[in-house]
């Protein structure tokens, strides 16, 4: 059982370049999330998708776009990378709902992105 | 708005000593509460979670946490710390709404002295 898989694990971009971070989960979760982690700031939500076909902005969406391709896959795109987007990016999935069947957020191993 | 506060940025303890990491949350209803651990260069691993019922919950690696509604707290404890517990610890709140979001604290970095 792979859980949440992110690719790539490491990436270096030049300012202005674009790239897409890929995420896939095999737990049949409805909700998926993209976070960025910066020193001293914990995890901040960039975008989330409560279910297939829906996406919403989180706390820090500027400079990013997302696509919920299907129930398994949720990608994050940087259209024009900036040094401020240097960070560690985590994808997560969950099935958070009331009553029985709640699950925590399951995380991928992260993508370490440097923009120079 | 929901928020999670971890007041201790960094804690140092001696191996074998007890540990308590603090977490306070701001949320109108009873939240879903979690503690995660992150080793350097790794993703986040769940230590324990609270949804309802017994307010003292047991987790992996000998950790436990207690939910105190009156104090809006969910502090993490371990009776005897091991060197391998050195890591970053995150408290999180899960909120049921249209987005089913998770809110994280800024983390507490734990150093264990031999």
């Amino acid at each position: 059982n792979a859980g949440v898989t992110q690719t790539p694990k490491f990436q270096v971009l030049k300012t202005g370049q674009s790239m897409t971070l890929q995420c896939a989960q095999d737990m049949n979760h409805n909700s998926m999330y993209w976070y960025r982690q910066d020193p001293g700031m914990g995890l901040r939500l960039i975008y989330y998708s409560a279910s297939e076909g829906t996406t919403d902005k989180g706390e820090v969406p500027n400079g990013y776009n997302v696509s919920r391709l299907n129930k398994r896959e949720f990608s994050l795109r940087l259209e024009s990378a900036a040094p401020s987007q240097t960070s560690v990016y985590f994808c997560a999935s969950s099935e958070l709902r009331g009553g029985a069947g709640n699950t925590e957020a399951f995380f991928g191993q992260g993508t370490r992105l440097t923009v120079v | 708005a929901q928020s999670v506060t971890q007041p201790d940025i960094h804690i140092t303890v001696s191996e074998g000593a007890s540990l308590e990491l603090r977490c306070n949350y701001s949320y109108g209803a009873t939240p879903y509460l979690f503690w995660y651990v992150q080793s350097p260069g790794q993703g986040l691993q769940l230590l324990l979670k609270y949804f309802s019922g017994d307010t003292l919950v047991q987790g992996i690696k000998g950790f436990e946490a207690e939910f105190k509604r009156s104090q809006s707290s969910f502090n993490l404890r371990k009776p005897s710390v091991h060197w391998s517990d050195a890591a970053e610890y995150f408290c999180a709140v899960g909120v049921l709404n249209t987005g089913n979001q998770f809110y994280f604290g800024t983390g507490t970095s734990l150093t264990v002295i031999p």
Side-chain angles (χ1 to χ4, degrees):
Chain A
N1 189 345
V4 179
T5 303
Q6 289 182 237
T7 56
K9 289 185 169 54
F10 300 92
Q11 184 71 50
V12 178
L13 289 178
K14 294 182 179 179
T15 298
Q17 287 184 321
S18 63
M19 78 162 296
T20 300
L21 282 64
Q22 306 287 351
C23 175
Q25 52 94 7
D26 60 4
M27 295 170 283
N28 203 36
H29 287 162
N30 278 302
S31 299
M32 296 187 72
Y33 314 83
W34 277 104
Y35 291 90
R36 60 178 288 172
Q37 183 180 27
D38 302 290
M41 305 195 74
L43 280 81
R44 293 182 292 168
L45 183 64
I46 305 171
Y47 271 93
Y48 62 97
S49 171
S51 61
E52 184 179 355
T54 68
T55 61
D56 286 286
K57 296 178 180 179
E59 180 184 357
V60 288
N62 291 343
Y64 306 95
N65 285 300
V66 291
S67 296
R68 183 75 183 266
L69 305 171
N70 47 55
K71 192 171 186 179
R72 289 188 65 250
E73 298 172 288
F74 189 38
S75 62
L76 177 72
R77 183 162 178 84
L78 286 70
E79 292 291 351
S80 179
S84 60
Q85 294 178 303
T86 293
S87 186
V88 181
Y89 292 86
F90 287 99
C91 177
S93 72
S94 81
E95 196 62 37
L96 184 64
R97 59 178 182 263
N102 285 291
T103 75
E104 64 273 23
F106 290 82
F107 284 83
Q109 288 298 298
T111 297
R112 284 148 183 81
L113 175 67
T114 301
V115 182
V116 298
Chain B
Q2 297 81 13
S3 67
V4 180
T5 302
Q6 293 180 248
D8 303 306
I9 297 173
H10 185 251
I11 286 180
T12 299
V13 299
S14 298
E15 191 169 16
S18 64
L19 172 70
E20 182 169 26
L21 302 182
R22 295 182 290 165
C23 174
N24 292 94
Y25 65 89
S26 172
Y27 181 54
T30 300
Y32 299 91
L33 297 163
F34 309 87
W35 273 100
Y36 286 85
V37 61
Q38 184 183 33
S39 297
Q42 300 298 312
L44 278 75
Q45 179 185 20
L46 181 75
L47 285 175
L48 46 78
K49 58 188 176 183
Y50 172 79
F51 290 148
S52 64
D54 192 346
T55 57
L56 184 63
V57 293
Q58 303 297 320
I60 62 172
K61 305 184 180 185
F63 285 92
E64 65 177 26
E66 186 172 12
F67 169 59
K68 293 185 176 180
R69 184 192 307 274
S70 61
Q71 299 177 20
S72 296
S73 69
F74 189 56
N75 293 349
L76 181 71
R77 300 194 294 252
K78 187 170 185 178
S80 178
V81 171
H82 187 262
W83 64 267
S84 61
D85 293 324
E88 188 93 14
Y89 292 81
F90 292 94
C91 180
V93 166
V95 175
L96 289 181
N97 54 23
T98 54
N100 291 339
Q101 298 181 42
F102 294 84
Y103 296 87
F104 286 82
T106 52
T108 297
S109 176
L110 175 65
T111 297
V112 180
I113 298 174

